[in-house]
Amino acid sequence: MPLIPALAENVNIYLGAKVWKIIRIETSSKKIIVKHSADGNAPIFLSGSNPIIPCN
């Protein structure tokens, strides 16, 4: 998963149809440490990196 500004500590994300909270981002080892989230904050949803081009 590419590291983008939306990925930050204490942010909820979807992984494997479950909601996880990012605890720590270890850039040197390219790891994101997560735990199950139970805080009720809305998770972000990341998709492919292709841009969305509107149809006219």
Side-chain angles (χ1 to χ4, degrees):
M1 179 176 290
L3 189 58
I4 60 172
L7 293 178
E9 293 178 2
N10 296 313
V11 170
N12 289 351
I13 59 173
Y14 279 124
L15 289 174
K18 295 182 181 177
V19 181
W20 300 86
K21 178 174 287 300
I22 297 175
I23 302 302
R24 185 173 62 248
I25 298 175
E26 298 178 355
T27 54
S28 60
S29 61
K30 298 183 180 180
K31 293 181 182 178
I32 298 175
I33 310 303
V34 298
K35 71 173 184 177
H36 285 278
S37 177
D39 60 16
N41 292 336
I44 61 171
F45 178 77
L46 302 175
S47 185
S49 60
N50 296 332
I52 297 174
I53 301 170
C55 298
N56 293 336

